[in-house]
Amino acid sequence: MKTTLHKFALSLERGLDRFQRQQKRSRVIEAYAGYATPTALVARGRVLTSLRKQNPAVDASWLTNLREMISLFLTDEVADVTVRTGETATTSDEEGYFTLSLPRETATGWVPLPVRIEGFEDETQCFVLVPSPEAKFMIISDIDDTVLETGAYSLARNLWTSMTGNILNRRVYADAVRLLRDLSEEGRNPVYYVSSSPWNLYSFLTRIFARNDLTRGPMFLRDLGLSEDKFITAGHGSHKGASIQTILEANPTLPALLMGDTGQKDAGIYADVIEAFPDRVKAVILRETNDGSDAADKSEMLRIRSSGVEVFHGPQMPPSRDVARLLTSET
């Protein structure tokens, strides 16, 4: 049954894509913040026929917000077009996504890369974060219920909060803002975000972050599209674990702090990461949501501690000085 549904959904999506390509000729790039490896700059984005923008109002009704949120998922992707920066080129995939990898330069901080679609003159700046050589550690943080109140531990609450709010009324945790600001030390120590939220929410999330002064960093979100071998995409745990692996491998000399929450069982994901990458993670922070930590959470925290990694957990973020001391210790 699932295989039949997968084939039907894939055929329907491809039919809609063909119709949209025939009807619309415009092409634009939605740029995502990229990251650096020891040898490369990795620029990321998506080719669409148009960008969807929200115009939020403080007093907007939940129904108005719902309509605007739904519009973010009604994207018209453009596959099989050439995207380039300088002499480096690639082709957008079936969902419009592209990744450009080019040799790393000496510049650090947010490095702009002019990217364009072949046959079009307009350029889009894709910014890539290159950590400072003075960085002491990095922070890899979940988003939902770690820095942004969502209620992801309950599907009904998650959908209601996510789909009926807007960038003006979504709540960002003030203690997370302070902790990331303090640990980042004005950008010296890089921050990365991992989430099971779809890429369709990228601009929505970045606007919330900017409005609330959350430390800027590349996001690793999830593709909810269909493909030949996947119905939707991999699950929450495998996506988050794979994203953390990518970030650790991109920054092989930096110890890491992992931030998450108990609502989506981040403790187990982080315990697996620590076992796969011994001596790379120095500390874990878990915000306790809903009823706090259950037996499974406590078991996974014990597994983390048995690896020699400290775990901070509770409804509030710990003091930054306590976390920084662990991250910069030699033991």
Side-chain angles (χ1 to χ4, degrees):
M1 179 65 181
K2 184 177 180 180
T3 301
T4 302
L5 182 60
H6 179 195
K7 290 181 179 179
F8 173 75
L10 186 61
S11 298
L12 178 62
E13 183 184 51
R14 286 178 172 172
L16 289 171
D17 287 345
R18 284 194 296 271
F19 175 77
Q20 289 164 350
R21 284 197 292 270
Q22 292 169 358
Q23 297 299 311
K24 300 181 180 181
R25 296 181 179 275
S26 61
R27 304 284 188 271
V28 294
I29 289 175
E30 181 177 46
Y32 305 142
Y35 61 96
T37 73
T39 60
L41 302 178
V42 182
R44 307 175 297 170
R46 195 177 192 187
V47 182
L48 304 169
T49 59
S50 63
L51 298 179
R52 298 187 180 274
K53 297 290 186 180
Q54 286 193 314
N55 297 299
V58 175
D59 58 351
S61 68
W62 68 266
L63 187 58
T64 296
N65 291 334
L66 177 62
R67 284 196 296 263
E68 292 219 342
M69 291 301 295
I70 290 175
S71 73
L72 296 179
F73 292 85
L74 303 178
T75 53
D76 299 336
E77 310 89 26
V78 185
D80 301 322
V81 298
T82 300
V83 181
R84 68 168 56 249
T85 177
E87 298 301 316
T88 303
T90 190
T91 302
S92 60
D93 69 12
E94 59 187 322
E95 291 294 327
Y97 297 104
F98 67 86
T99 300
L100 287 161
S101 181
L102 57 157
R104 180 167 171 169
E105 301 174 351
T106 57
T108 61
W110 287 99
V111 178
L113 297 176
V115 176
R116 66 181 180 85
I117 301 168
E118 193 125 294
F120 291 76
E121 294 183 359
D122 292 343
E123 291 184 339
T124 299
Q125 296 291 343
C126 285
F127 286 88
V128 175
L129 177 61
V130 182
S132 165
E134 297 179 356
K136 297 177 181 178
F137 53 82
M138 63 180 166
I139 303 100
I140 304 175
S141 177
D142 176 49
I143 294 177
D144 293 318
D145 293 320
T146 301
V147 300
L148 176 67
E149 184 178 14
T150 304
Y153 51 83
S154 163
L155 178 59
R157 181 172 178 178
N158 186 0
L159 289 173
W160 177 261
T161 303
S162 299
M163 299 301 291
T164 61
N166 62 47
I167 67 169
L168 301 180
N169 58 29
R170 289 295 301 273
R171 180 192 174 204
V172 168
Y173 293 110
D175 59 352
V177 174
R178 289 192 298 270
L179 181 64
L180 290 172
R181 180 193 62 215
D182 293 346
L183 294 179
S184 177
E185 297 182 7
E186 298 184 347
R188 181 175 72 173
N189 302 313
V191 178
Y192 302 87
Y193 297 95
V194 296
S195 172
S196 293
S197 293
W199 282 108
N200 302 70
L201 297 183
Y202 179 80
S203 62
F204 177 77
L205 290 172
T206 54
R207 291 176 71 185
I208 290 176
F209 278 31
R211 173 178 169 79
N212 290 277
D213 293 324
L214 255 172
T215 302
R216 184 183 177 194
M219 293 183 185
F220 290 74
L221 307 183
R222 189 162 61 136
D223 173 21
L224 292 184
L226 301 170
S227 68
E228 289 284 2
D229 59 351
K230 291 185 296 184
F231 186 39
I232 308 300
T233 56
H236 162 79
S238 57
H239 161 74
K240 187 172 290 187
S243 298
I244 295 172
Q245 176 178 338
T246 296
I247 298 166
L248 290 173
E249 291 175 344
N251 299 277
T253 64
L254 290 180
L257 163 69
L258 302 182
M259 287 176 52
D261 61 87
T262 58
Q264 291 186 296
K265 306 305 178 184
D266 287 339
I269 299 170
Y270 294 173
D272 290 342
V273 168
I274 290 167
E275 288 183 356
F277 292 87
D279 303 321
R280 289 300 311 278
V281 177
K282 303 281 280 188
V284 169
I285 296 174
L286 295 169
R287 185 189 297 280
E288 293 184 343
T289 60
N290 198 21
D291 295 327
S293 302
D294 61 17
D297 293 321
K298 292 175 182 176
S299 175
E300 296 296 356
M301 290 182 205
L302 183 61
R303 184 157 68 106
I304 292 172
R305 289 195 175 102
S306 69
S307 300
V309 176
E310 182 57 63
V311 180
F312 298 92
H313 64 97
Q316 303 294 325
M317 290 291 168
S320 58
R321 62 180 179 275
D322 295 344
V323 181
R325 185 163 51 246
L326 275 176
L327 293 173
T328 55
S329 66
E330 297 296 329
T331 57

